[in-house]
Amino acid sequence: MTEKREYTGDYPDKTLYIPGPTEVREDVIDEMAQPMFGHRMDRMTDLYTTVVEDTKEFLGTDNEVIVLTASGTEFWEASTLNLVDENILVPTCGSFSERHANVAERLGKNVDRLEYEWGEAIKPEDIRAHLDSTDKHYDVVTCVMNESSTGVRNPIEEIGDVLKEYPETYFVVDAVSALGGDYVDIDEHGIDVIFASTQKAFAMPPGLAVCVVSDAAYERELEKDEASWYGGFQRSLDYYDRKGQTHSTPAIPVMLAYRKQMKHMLDEGHEARSERHREMGEYTREWAMEHFDVFPEDGYESQTVSCIENTADIDVAATIEAVSEEYDYVFSNGYGSALGEKTFRIGHMGEHDVESIRALTDAIEDVAGL
């Protein structure tokens, strides 16, 4: 049994370069200290409608937006329950896409995997070939936009274009570690559901999940006898239409922080924010190639997290600990037992820029003697 370890509050501040949570602006954190108010007051309607409509504006979508108190994992479950009767196709290329398949199996769905080696990207032509070669109807095809375990950025735009040819199959995208830091035209590429967690590229405290839902996905749920209760598209969107609020009590302080951060994101703009993340990713990979190698397939590298192959055979765990102790910077080891010492990961997302990423890579060079 796990023993209690008392939280003391006496901890040094660390700058986070992990794949989330990431750094949060001080004025955003300060928003959470406002006096509490009721979640059915007019003030809540003002807050939630601001959050939802600003998110639509930032993402440039005409689709509906849901913001719930949850992690992005909620919409793994909810999108599966809301859209899938029987069959779901899950291309897997890393830990999180594999977990998406596991979630669907746990929910009793018939899951077919289109499997790739870790580090490889999912290919649109493979999905088309699979759909054309089977008599099975898939209610949903999923894709992880940003496989943060391997640093792969999958071509969801091209996959969405393929799936437009299969109008009875819905396209669900896990963009947990990418949305807000990697531009995607949701409506143009026929993405029916795309969801994210705010503690990653949105540069927010943990606690909220954002989901964008097409009209077709909403209508699909209406046809089903069963759907998610907490993450139901109908329940969430109908309540918003009637009341301008969430159907259940939200984490009000975190939503206050979200409102503030979304104003910053609107000021920067979706495409400009994506460009800043692209520059950070390019810098990190160039640095990695000088000392190590990059793990993802060439041409499919993530904008928000770099997975670096440990070809220099440094002690990854010891380096992470030393950088944390000497510089108060925190980066991440490889994800899972298969990649723990073979790779390490640098999260360049949220409010970081090239200069702040360079501070980390300089510290790694110093500690590892590169």
Side-chain angles (χ1 to χ4, degrees):
M1 180 180 293
T2 301
E3 296 182 1
K4 178 183 179 181
R5 292 175 48 174
E6 189 70 31
Y7 185 87
T8 66
D10 183 23
Y11 306 97
D13 291 334
K14 305 284 185 179
T15 302
L16 300 178
Y17 297 92
I18 56 179
T22 188
E23 292 295 293
V24 181
R25 293 171 182 258
E26 286 189 15
D27 64 344
V28 173
I29 292 174
D30 289 345
E31 288 293 301
M32 295 191 291
Q34 293 187 36
M36 191 49 54
F37 53 90
H39 69 291
R40 295 295 177 237
M41 295 170 63
D42 287 345
R43 183 174 175 181
M44 187 66 221
T45 305
D46 293 347
L47 174 59
Y48 190 61
T49 56
T50 298
V51 162
V52 168
E53 299 306 321
D54 281 358
T55 304
K56 288 182 186 179
E57 181 181 349
F58 175 79
L59 295 175
T61 183
D62 291 327
N63 290 345
E64 298 298 331
V65 165
I66 302 168
V67 182
L68 286 182
T69 301
S71 72
T73 304
E74 165 60 28
F75 287 110
W76 270 350
E77 289 192 332
S79 61
T80 302
L81 290 170
N82 296 345
L83 300 178
V84 181
D85 278 333
E86 185 175 1
N87 300 316
I88 180 172
L89 179 64
V90 184
T92 61
C93 62
S95 180
F96 293 97
S97 49
E98 180 61 33
R99 192 177 299 178
H100 201 150
N102 293 339
V103 168
E105 287 176 333
R106 181 70 173 174
L107 295 172
K109 308 306 179 183
N110 178 27
V111 178
D112 286 345
R113 289 168 171 80
L114 189 60
E115 296 180 327
Y116 292 82
E117 293 292 326
W118 285 31
E120 293 182 355
I122 297 163
K123 308 303 190 299
E125 58 270 22
D126 293 342
I127 291 177
R128 176 184 277 112
H130 184 89
L131 294 176
D132 287 346
S133 66
T134 181
D135 294 330
K136 186 181 294 186
H137 168 70
Y138 291 102
D139 296 309
V140 162
V141 172
T142 73
C143 188
V144 173
M145 178 176 175
N146 194 70
E147 181 55 81
S148 59
S149 65
T150 63
V152 166
R153 200 287 198 183
N154 285 307
I156 59 167
E157 293 87 351
E158 290 85 350
I159 294 169
D161 292 342
V162 166
L163 288 171
K164 286 181 182 180
E165 302 170 21
Y166 305 85
E168 298 304 313
T169 297
Y170 298 86
F171 187 31
V172 173
V173 174
D174 165 4
V176 163
S177 58
L179 200 65
D182 187 343
Y183 179 84
V184 56
D185 191 327
I186 297 167
D187 301 8
E188 174 66 23
H189 297 287
I191 299 171
D192 291 295
V193 177
I194 186 169
F195 55 87
S197 295
T198 55
Q199 75 271 18
K200 296 182 183 283
F202 279 72
M204 274 278 301
L208 299 179
V210 178
C211 186
V212 183
V213 181
S214 71
D215 290 342
Y218 174 86
E219 294 295 331
R220 165 63 178 161
E221 186 194 310
L222 297 185
E223 299 171 358
K224 286 175 54 47
D225 294 329
E226 298 176 347
S228 171
W229 175 253
Y230 187 72
F233 301 152
Q234 179 185 12
R235 188 163 181 251
S236 297
L237 295 174
D238 286 4
Y239 202 94
Y240 180 71
D241 283 343
R242 294 196 311 272
K243 301 286 188 178
Q245 297 174 350
T246 56
H247 56 66
S248 301
T249 308
I252 294 171
V254 187
M255 286 207 175
L256 287 164
Y258 186 100
R259 183 202 67 83
K260 185 71 171 180
Q261 175 62 4
M262 186 50 64
K263 296 300 185 185
H264 288 306
M265 292 170 70
L266 285 168
D267 286 344
E268 184 175 19
H270 195 177
E271 294 189 34
R273 192 173 180 86
S274 182
E275 176 64 15
R276 177 166 56 80
H277 282 73
R278 184 192 63 77
E279 292 172 354
M280 289 190 288
E282 286 186 351
Y283 166 78
T284 307
R285 291 191 298 275
E286 289 171 2
W287 172 82
M289 293 297 291
E290 291 178 8
H291 305 287
F292 305 95
D293 201 350
V294 292
F295 188 74
E297 180 179 352
D298 185 43
Y300 295 94
E301 299 90 354
S302 166
Q303 281 196 177
T304 57
V305 55
S306 288
C307 184
I308 298 167
E309 190 169 0
N310 183 20
T311 54
D313 199 29
I314 65 171
D315 186 326
V316 170
T319 302
I320 290 171
E321 182 176 1
V323 169
S324 175
E325 289 299 314
E326 296 179 28
Y327 289 92
D328 288 328
Y329 298 159
V330 182
F331 65 106
S332 181
N333 60 352
Y335 195 87
S337 59
L339 299 179
E341 280 288 324
K342 294 179 180 178
T343 64
F344 60 91
R345 296 174 299 153
I346 295 174
H348 34 78
M349 60 176 68
E351 297 309 311
H352 282 298
D353 56 25
V354 170
E355 289 306 310
S356 68
I357 300 302
R358 183 176 288 114
L360 171 66
T361 56
D362 286 349
I364 295 172
E365 288 182 19
D366 179 44
V367 166
L370 299 175

